[in-house]
Amino acid sequence: MTVQIGAVLLLAIVFTALALYQVNAVPAENQAIESEHNQQVHGEMQELRNAIKNAGITGSSTSVSVTLGTQYPTRTFLMNPPDPTGTLETTDPSLLTIDNADVTAPLGGYSEGELEDRVLGSHETRTVVYGPHYNEYRNAPTTRIEHGLAFNDFGDATVELTDQPLIDGDRVTIVLVDGDLSTSSSSATTVDTRSLSGPTDPVSLESTGDNITITVPTQSPDVWNETIGTDFGPKSGQENARVVPSGYADGKLPIELAKSGEPYDLQMACVAIGDSDTTCEDFDIDEEADSKGGTTLAGPKVTDLELDPVTVTRGETVDIAGKFDNRGAATDLRGGTPIVDAEWYLVEGDRNGTLSSEEFNRATTLWANGTIDTENLETNTTYTVGVRAQDTRGVWTNESVDGRVMEFTVEDEDSAEQRGLEYAGTARTSEGSQLGTDSQVAFDLVNTGTDSVTVEGVTVEKTGPADKIRSDDVGFAVPEVLVQSTDNGFAWQLGSGGYRLGDRIGLDDTATVEGNQEVSVILTEFQQQRNTNTPIDMNGRSITATVDYQYADGTTDEVTVTFTPPEGS
């Protein structure tokens, strides 16, 4: 009896010990395993950050392994919770913007205006985020890679894992991240990084008056306050840069560059992480003179392209005209010899045809004209057509860089598809309120249908340093937007406030466009509000505008056009 009682007591002691171990020791051991794994992930995230940075700087492609979760040891008489997991993902794209800056020198055959269109303004980028899902280590940080900076985010505090490469003295390095990545696991995952575009050679920037401002998307402004600082000077993280005090709002953080540090050298690149089918801006810009032409001196450049009409019935012809320039300059090296030949070509296909000009063999800048026969083209199909020219050296236009393309559509005779407004292929600038500055822009649309449509609004995207369309006419004789058609429509901002680029401008009086009629959209003046409403010269700048309109039956539609007014238009 005594032996039995002793055995029962011993068994009770064993179960009590196991229970205490399960309650106290197992969680502590698991927390230690989770903490050790978290340290491991921090190192792997630094490697991923370095891979992204190197892809942007050198154009390399790298694969990095990230261990998202971990496993607990097997316990014979005890129980473990499910193994910890982790999630690695990219955030939705947000805009990084560069404002108050001018490009001060050409590069690689690109003019200052062309470079501004490529590198200034807004660019989409993403943050890479690792989030752990532990059972015991409940205050584990979220690890982020943001604009080249890797750091741990504890919610109420941040800890840097690497230096920030965004601003270093007078150098600004921006590596945009593209790609859709989202994976959750308790094991390792492989992440591929690859260069999509760039890096540019250094592009020289100076302020337009106010400090150059780089606004970055972030959910952790404190880490940038700490790494860059909120004051200019040697005691700050960057002597000539500062985070704008109290400037953080809606996930956007403005960083200013001091004018005392000018000029600044900007390099930009775009890198893909995970799946990406997005084409970034073209940052493949270098200072070699042959970077645009594939030869020592590039061939003729296409400066304008016109099609009429842009929608035809099969069998009809499309008139096409291209304007070419081979004059060359110190900042845009070309042959500088007469143009001897020109042709049009379908971008996808083996069709081409001649363009003629009386100026061949004599002029280095000329218009050449031709027709496109649609008899043998497929119907209900949209075709992309470009033009190219050859100079006396035998060098043709590099159409991938110095060309332009437009689209035309071939329809069946019996096609009942409702047609609307399309770009007529013509754009021009004119002098605005400031003498010698072509700040006014006009472009033409054509109603390709037989029924009338009514234009109701215009939206113009931000372009270069311009941020507003505004009329300086205080007598209200010149509206901000004028649509010249059968009955003219206009948009008028009373009080001379103007309209911000990117906002829809509703016409105060709608404009009717009859079938097969052209209509002109006149944008009175592009200005830069942040620089005291300074008129902006729009020659050679790419402009994207959307015109929305309504059919007689009440249905609505819109047309988006992108064009570049030629120099001296």
Side-chain angles (χ1 to χ4, degrees), residues 92 96 125 170 175 202 204 525 529:
D92 291 334
L96 178 149
T125 190
D170 61 355
V175 178
S204 182
E525 183 162 272
Q529 182 184 24

Side-chain angles (χ1 to χ4, degrees), residues 345-362:
Y345 62 93
L346 297 185
V347 174
E348 295 182 359
D350 57 359
R351 289 283 304 277
N352 62 348
T354 59
L355 298 175
S356 60
S357 172
E358 295 181 356
E359 297 297 311
F360 280 159
N361 296 296
R362 298 198 304 269

Side-chain angles (χ1 to χ4, degrees), residues 63-102:
S63 295
V64 176
S65 179
V66 180
T67 309
L68 301 183
T70 188
Q71 288 79 41
Y72 300 127
T74 302
R75 303 182 189 277
T76 305
F77 298 107
L78 300 171
M79 296 181 60
N80 280 323
D83 287 333
T85 63
T87 299
L88 184 65
E89 60 186 351
T90 51
T91 62
D92 291 334
S94 298
L95 292 180
L96 178 149
T97 60
I98 306 173
D99 296 308
N100 304 334
D102 279 337

Side-chain angles (χ1 to χ4, degrees), residues 311 313 380 411-420 448-451 551 553:
T311 302
T313 301
N380 297 324
E411 294 184 344
D412 284 319
E413 282 189 17
D414 299 329
S415 175
E417 184 177 340
Q418 191 175 37
R419 302 185 197 168
T448 60
T450 57
D451 296 333
Y551 295 101
D553 62 5

Side-chain angles (χ1 to χ4, degrees), residues 471-480 490 492-497:
S471 172
D472 276 342
D473 186 83
V474 296
F476 305 115
V478 181
E480 267 79 7
F490 58 84
W492 218 342
Q493 182 65 49
L494 298 178
S496 298

